[in-house]
Amino acid sequence: EIVMTQSPATLSVSPGERATLSCRASQPLNSHLAWYQQKPGRAPRLLFYGASTRATGIPARFSASGSGTEFTLTIGSLQSEDFAVYYCQQYHAWPWTFGQGTKVENK
Amino acid sequence: QLQLQESGPGLVKPSETLSLTCSVSGGSISSSSEYWGWVRQPPGKGLEWIGSLYFGGSPYYNPSLRSRVTISVDSSKNQFSLKLTSLTAADTAVYYCARPQPDNSGYYGAFDIWGRGTLVTVSS
């Protein structure tokens, strides 16, 4: 099983600041990685797939990069609606696995 | 626009079997994707992939649940289902059905459409 490790667990950021989230895989994924945003009481929302392809309707302040085992999600200028938990997920091999999440909170 | 809706009991007793259904609307289940899946989330915790149905072959299951889980499809009703047996309190979670989409290389796995989720509590 591919283990996904996200860091940090919690990121305290002020609105307007840049946020950088990391996701590391225990094995190379090629680019078979997705990022999600989840707000309380809501289903996850797909942000990126293929490591860096923005999903439909995702604002340009969100960007993602990486390949192999190291991946990054960046929020260029944090808006109030961006405070949430972010998950990475690999779909390179069965079983598909998620990281434990990074909570982005208001500093 | 494709939409998913989970349905099933909100409370199940320990040792019993959970049966959930995901109804697909706004499109045909057989032509909207080659895969469909279930994901769960215990209260206050992260996401766990349960399994995925593949139209071209056998379903894939999380090894941690394989002995207890069955995912099946009823194309005539535009639905797919989850059965989880021998429930314990550890199975208490919000259960989501979701559609994995293909990426640019044709790999399926990124869930682009989700149901709203249904909370299942295992308690006597």
Side-chain angles (χ1 to χ4, degrees):
Chain A
E1 174 176 317
I2 297 177
V3 177
M4 305 301 293
T5 303
Q6 292 187 241
S7 61
T10 303
L11 188 60
S12 297
V13 187
S14 298
E17 289 185 339
R18 181 186 189 92
T20 301
L21 290 66
S22 296
C23 175
R24 175 177 293 176
S26 62
Q27 301 174 28
L29 304 181
N30 196 331
S31 294
H32 303 134
L33 181 105
W35 287 98
Y36 302 88
Q37 176 194 67
Q38 189 180 32
K39 296 181 180 179
R42 304 286 296 273
R45 174 192 183 195
L46 179 65
L47 299 176
F48 291 90
Y49 59 96
S52 61
T53 302
R54 194 177 287 110
T56 303
I58 303 305
R61 64 180 180 273
F62 289 90
S63 62
S65 62
S67 64
T69 61
E70 301 284 342
F71 301 87
T72 300
L73 173 69
T74 301
I75 310 172
S77 176
L78 211 74
Q79 305 297 302
S80 58
E81 62 266 30
D82 301 334
F83 294 111
V85 179
Y86 293 82
Y87 294 94
C88 61
Q89 176 227 337
Q90 69 81 17
Y91 52 94
H92 181 67
W94 305 101
W96 295 344
T97 48
F98 291 89
Q100 81 279 19
T102 290
K103 182 179 181 180
V104 177
E105 66 176 21
N106 197 339
K107 188 175 183 179
Chain B
Q1 180 157 348
L2 207 65
Q3 292 186 320
L4 307 181
Q5 177 68 59
E6 305 89 350
S7 59
L11 180 64
V12 188
K13 289 182 169 55
S15 80
E16 293 189 341
T17 295
L18 171 66
S19 293
L20 295 177
T21 296
C22 182
S23 298
V24 180
S25 60
S28 166
I29 191 172
S30 57
S31 61
S32 297
S33 182
E34 293 188 15
Y35 287 86
W36 299 90
W38 290 93
V39 175
R40 70 179 182 178
Q41 184 172 37
K45 296 189 177 181
L47 301 166
E48 180 183 32
W49 173 74
I50 298 172
S52 290
L53 173 73
Y54 174 49
F55 272 99
S58 301
Y60 295 88
Y61 299 130
N62 192 320
S64 67
L65 300 169
R66 182 175 288 134
S67 63
R68 301 193 291 130
V69 67
T70 303
I71 297 175
S72 59
V73 63
D74 187 337
S75 297
S76 66
K77 295 183 178 179
N78 230 32
Q79 296 175 339
F80 63 103
S81 300
L82 169 71
K83 284 194 176 181
L84 187 63
T85 64
S86 305
L87 293 174
T88 71
D91 294 311
T92 294
V94 174
Y95 285 76
Y96 296 101
C97 59
R99 182 188 78 165
Q101 69 167 40
D103 65 16
N104 296 337
S105 66
Y107 262 66
Y108 278 82
F111 294 102
D112 66 333
I113 300 176
W114 295 70
R116 297 178 69 174
T118 185
L119 175 62
V120 175
T121 301
V122 180
S123 175
S124 55

